[in-house]
Amino acid sequence: GAGVSQSPSNKVTEKGKDVELRCDPISGHTALYWYRQSLGQGLEFLIYFQGNSAPDKSGLPSDRFSAERTGGSVSTLTIQRTQQEDSAVYLCASSPGTTTTDTQYFGPGTRLTVL
Amino acid sequence: GENVEQHPSTLSVQEGDSAVIKCTYSDSASNYFPWYKQELGKRPQLIIDIRSNVGEKKDQRIAVTLNKTAKHFSLHITETQPEDSAVYFCAPKGRGYNKLIFGAGTRLAVHP
């Protein structure tokens, strides 16, 4: 079946502009995660959704970052007033959401460049 | 929060040799221990995982061993091939929910 998809694959924006990144999880997966990966670095957790609620937002770096999920499926990560340090690859992952099936499946990522 | 460390940060081996990467974690409540492989420009992909009630798991040339007492688990790759060259991340499951805490990664280079 279809895997996790993300759009756009690349986004170039100017400092101060807002951007929206989209994630389509695997059908039926109730858990959805956003991570950020800077060049040559590991993955930094941003936020976790279970259904439409976000029980863990602890990784969001500032109040310029927000995310929502509607209908228990698609999620949007919004970055307001982008800064150059926001440049990174933003990865989305989904998992079935039960405690015995922890495997996370990643999307291809959105490469964000803030000029 | 959970502290996760991987060693070594880079590893260079000859084709056919074995490679071992170690991951140490701090949260004694962690109960799920995956390893992800990320090739250049690609997404991370799960290659093997282990749960806390098991000490070792093998899948062809790949194995993971877990020492819960010492709070570390290791990735073992035997008979390495050039296509094993990638960055490998450990990502033990942190306290609460399903959050994975990723290590900084180990860059493995397999030379023909």
Side-chain angles (χ1 to χ4, degrees):
Chain A
V4 179
S5 61
Q6 293 185 244
S7 61
S9 54
N10 278 285
K11 177 71 176 178
V12 180
T13 191
E14 294 180 346
K15 178 181 172 181
K17 295 283 181 67
D18 297 352
V19 296
E20 281 190 357
L21 313 180
R22 176 188 168 109
C23 172
D24 278 274
I26 292 172
S27 178
H29 280 193
T30 60
L32 186 148
Y33 313 80
W34 283 98
Y35 295 88
R36 178 169 71 173
Q37 187 174 31
S38 300
L39 188 63
Q41 302 298 310
L43 279 74
E44 175 189 4
F45 168 81
L46 298 178
I47 188 170
Y48 155 64
F49 285 93
Q50 180 62 39
N52 291 336
S53 64
D56 191 345
K57 306 179 184 179
S58 62
L60 294 178
S62 76
D63 58 8
R64 295 187 296 105
F65 287 72
S66 63
E68 64 176 16
R69 190 180 185 196
T70 55
S73 182
V74 171
S75 176
T76 302
L77 176 69
T78 301
I79 309 174
Q80 296 179 308
R81 305 181 302 281
T82 52
Q83 304 294 311
Q84 289 183 332
E85 59 263 30
D86 299 336
S87 296
V89 175
Y90 289 80
L91 289 158
C92 173
S94 72
S95 73
T98 67
T99 56
T100 57
T101 49
D102 308 86
T103 303
Q104 294 186 17
Y105 300 87
F106 282 85
T110 293
R111 181 175 298 279
L112 175 65
T113 303
V114 182
L115 303 177
Chain B
E2 170 96 87
N3 186 39
V4 177
E5 293 186 0
Q6 280 184 239
H7 295 282
S9 57
T10 61
L11 182 57
S12 181
V13 300
Q14 289 296 125
E15 182 176 0
D17 288 351
S18 295
V20 181
I21 304 169
K22 184 176 179 178
C23 181
T24 60
Y25 60 95
S26 61
D27 186 355
S28 57
S30 293
N31 60 359
Y32 174 65
F33 308 93
W35 283 96
Y36 282 82
K37 174 183 180 182
Q38 187 176 31
E39 297 177 61
L40 189 63
K42 302 282 184 64
R43 73 191 79 184
Q45 292 198 306
L46 178 74
I47 54 171
I48 196 165
D49 57 11
I50 194 168
R51 300 188 185 279
S52 57
N53 58 343
V54 177
E56 181 176 358
K57 182 178 177 180
K58 290 186 73 174
D59 182 2
Q60 300 183 349
R61 297 186 297 108
I62 294 172
V64 55
T65 57
L66 171 65
N67 185 327
K68 280 217 74 179
T69 303
K71 291 190 281 188
H72 64 74
F73 62 111
S74 297
L75 176 68
H76 305 255
I77 307 174
T78 58
E79 301 171 31
T80 53
Q81 301 168 3
E83 52 264 38
D84 295 329
S85 296
V87 179
Y88 292 82
F89 294 98
C90 65
K93 181 180 166 184
R95 186 179 294 276
Y97 305 112
N98 282 341
K99 183 165 68 177
L100 301 179
I101 308 297
F102 280 79
T106 296
R107 185 173 301 278
L108 172 66
V110 180
H111 302 284

